[in-house]
Amino acid sequence: TRARIALQLTEDSFLSVYHHWDGYPEWLGVTLNKKFNTRDKVAELIDGGDISCCDSDTDWNLEKVENHVQYYNDRGDKTEPALHLNIDDYFDVGEEYAYVYTLDHEWECYEIDHTYDDEYKVTGTNVRPVAIPTEQEVEEKIAKANS
């Protein structure tokens, strides 16, 4: 599930990167809260450019390695964070989820539905705030589903 991760710079500006895998709140939201929970950590995460997975246990050859941020730039791509001058610009990029590390030092998550024209350009955007569960809530949900 595709997502974007943003650091709010001012009331109206955001710096973001693309995140490819598992963008739903039960995984990416929980991981961001757990591992990237300060402005410095979020800034460092975003500084590396677009991301395949922010907590990958494999390298680009699918070999097992220590968990790390798997940046597309590490395989030779040339990606940079995107600057958005308002929240609507940020939401119109095209992913299913958008995360914002706010000026209040908290993660917010939004589920985004887009409509497209025949050339696959976004013609409409529906944005809905979504709660990020705690790690414990996710574990309890998994345990309940497995019982």
Side-chain angles (χ1 to χ4, degrees):
T1 307
R2 301 171 312 131
R4 285 202 81 77
I5 301 169
L7 177 63
Q8 185 175 14
L9 303 175
T10 67
E11 195 65 37
D12 296 321
S13 64
F14 305 83
L15 194 63
S16 80
V17 292
Y18 171 77
H19 186 279
H20 188 74
W21 292 105
D22 297 333
Y24 48 90
E26 293 81 4
W27 190 86
L28 183 56
V30 170
T31 302
L32 291 172
N33 268 330
K34 183 177 178 181
K35 294 192 170 199
F36 304 97
N37 49 20
T38 68
R39 285 191 72 76
D40 287 342
K41 289 177 182 178
V42 176
E44 184 178 340
L45 174 69
I46 288 173
D47 191 49
D50 290 347
I51 300 167
S52 175
C53 180
C54 71
D55 194 29
S56 179
D57 62 356
T58 61
D59 63 17
W60 286 107
N61 297 317
L62 301 179
E63 300 290 330
K64 286 282 190 189
V65 295
E66 286 188 38
N67 284 43
H68 67 289
V69 179
Q70 190 171 33
Y71 291 105
Y72 286 108
N73 291 343
D74 291 341
R75 70 173 187 189
D77 294 12
K78 304 228 183 304
T79 68
E80 294 184 12
L83 179 62
H84 309 276
L85 298 179
N86 60 62
I87 194 73
D88 292 332
D89 179 44
Y90 174 56
F91 289 148
D92 278 344
V93 177
E95 284 73 35
E96 289 87 11
Y97 288 96
Y99 293 86
V100 176
Y101 193 78
T102 69
L103 296 173
D104 294 328
H105 307 277
E106 296 178 350
W107 281 109
E108 293 179 351
C109 178
Y110 301 88
E111 185 173 28
I112 303 173
D113 295 312
H114 298 287
T115 55
Y116 301 91
D117 65 14
D118 292 340
E119 296 173 2
Y120 208 67
K121 292 182 181 170
V122 174
T123 58
T125 303
N126 182 30
V127 179
R128 181 175 65 89
V130 177
I132 299 172
T134 65
E135 190 173 16
Q136 181 179 348
E137 289 170 332
V138 172
E139 289 171 0
E140 289 172 358
K141 187 176 180 180
I142 291 170
K144 185 176 180 180
N146 290 333
S147 62

